Amino acid sequence: MLQTTRPALNPDLIDTGTPPIPQAQGWARAYDGSSGPLIDLSQAVPGSPPPDAMLAKLAEAAARPEFTRYGAITGDLALREAYAAEIGAIYGDSFTPGEIAITSGCNQAYVMTMMALAQAGDNVLLPTPWYFNHEMTLTMLGIEPRPLPCDPAAGFVPDAALAERLIDAKTRAIVLVTPNNPTGAVYPPATIAAFAELCERRGIWLVLDETYRDFLPTGAARPHEVFAASGWRDSVIGLYSFSKAYAVPGWRLGAITAGEAIIAQIGKVLDCVQISPVRAGQAAVTWGIDGIRDWREANRAEINARANAFRAAMAPLNGWQVLAVGAYFAYVAHPFAELPAAEVVRRLVQERGVLALPGPYFGPGQERHLRVAIANVSADRIGELSDRLRGFGP
C-alpha cells in the first residue's frame, strides 16, 4: 500500500493562538438569565449604529456604478484628502494625500505595516498587556513579539528607558497603542515623545496605533506632538480605525499615515491583499468626517460618561481594583488570587451574567486581571455592575 505524507501547514501559523473572544462568548451561552439580561463587556464594538444620514450616504454611494469598479490601491483620493485635513487639524501640521493609505480596517493596516517593516527572525516590541491581534500577527509572520512589561502602578504607561534595554540588532519597531487596548491607559505626550526620540536615535520605527484617539476627553490637549516634528516621516507610522468613532466596524476602513516613500512600499502589500478598499464605505466616511462631526462629539461625551459610570459602579466593591480606564476600556484586578482569570470570567458570566475577558488573553503575567469593554453597553447597564458583582466569589 502506498504510504503518503500529509502536506504540512506553515508552522508559524500553527504556533499562533486562536482568536480568543469566541471562547469567552461561548461561556456566555451557558448563562441562564437568572441575574437579568447579559451584560456583555467582552468585545470593543460601538453600542449604537451611525446616524441615519451616514447610512443614507452609504446607500447612495452603493447605487453608483463607478463605485463597483476598482479604486486606487491606497484608497480613493477624496477620503485621503479629507482624512489628511482632519489629522492636520488634530496635530497642528500639514499632511498630503500621498502620506495616507486607506485599508480594510486598522487590523489590516497593522498587518501591512508589519510586513513592510520586518521579516521572519526580526523582533518588534509590544507593551504588555498587548492587543492580542498584534501578537498573533507577528507570530504568524515569524517575527518575535517581544514583551515590554508595563507597571500597573504607573497606570500601564510604558517606559522608554526599559524599552531601550530590550532593543537588539534584530529589533525593527516599537508599537504603542494609545488610548490603549486592553487597559484604557492614555499615554502622556511626553511618553510618546520619549519613544519617538528613542526610535529615531536607534534607527527603528515607532508604530503608533491611535484607533481610540477620538474618545479622549473633550478639551483634552493634543494627543502628542510627534507629527509636528519635522523628522517624523523617517521613523513614525500612524495607524487609525474609522470603525469606532463612526460606528461602522462592518465597513472595514482604517488608515496608515507615513512618509510617501513608506506608503509606496506598503502599497505593494496592499495591492496583493486588498487591491483597493471598499469604495461605497469610503465615500460615506468622506462625507461623514464633517457631516457627522456633532454626532461624533456627542458620542465622545457619552463614552466618557460610561467610563465615569464604570468607576462609580466599581468603587463600592471590596477587593476589586480598577487599574486604568480610558476610551473604550477598563482594566481590573480581580480579588481571587487562587483562581485563574479564565475561571473567574467563566463563573462570572454563568453565575452573574457579566462577560469580560481574562487578562492572559493579552499577554504574560495577567492572571489577576480582567479587561472590560465599556463602550458597547449603556451607562445604566454599567451601573448594574455593583449589584451583579457584590458577593461574587469562589
Side-chain angles (χ1 to χ4, degrees), residues 13 17 19 40 71 115 117 127 139 142 163 167 185 272-273 279 281 283 304 320 324 338 366:
L13 179 60
D40 187 350
M115 290 178 70
L117 301 188
T139 299
I167 294 171
C272 292
V273 175
R279 301 192 66 201
N304 278 276
W320 294 85
E338 71 282 6
Q366 305 301 313

Side-chain angles (χ1 to χ4, degrees), residues 324-384:
V325 184
Y328 258 54
F329 303 106
Y331 212 62
V332 175
H334 67 79
F336 311 111
E338 71 282 6
L339 290 181
E343 180 64 10
V344 174
V345 168
R346 187 190 67 79
R347 293 182 56 176
L348 187 60
V349 68
Q350 294 181 0
E351 297 174 17
R352 300 299 177 94
V354 176
L355 180 62
L357 291 182
Y361 284 4
F362 304 97
Q366 305 301 313
E367 281 290 358
R368 288 298 302 276
H369 299 147
L370 307 181
R371 191 200 76 172
V372 174
I374 58 176
N376 58 335
V377 295
S378 68
D380 290 345
R381 298 299 307 283
I382 291 172
E384 296 176 23

Side-chain angles (χ1 to χ4, degrees), residues 105-106 210-211 214 239-246 252-255:
C106 193
E210 295 185 279
T211 291
D214 303 87
L239 307 181
Y240 178 72
S241 171
F242 295 99
S243 295
K244 306 305 191 295
Y246 296 78
R252 308 311 305 133
L253 288 171

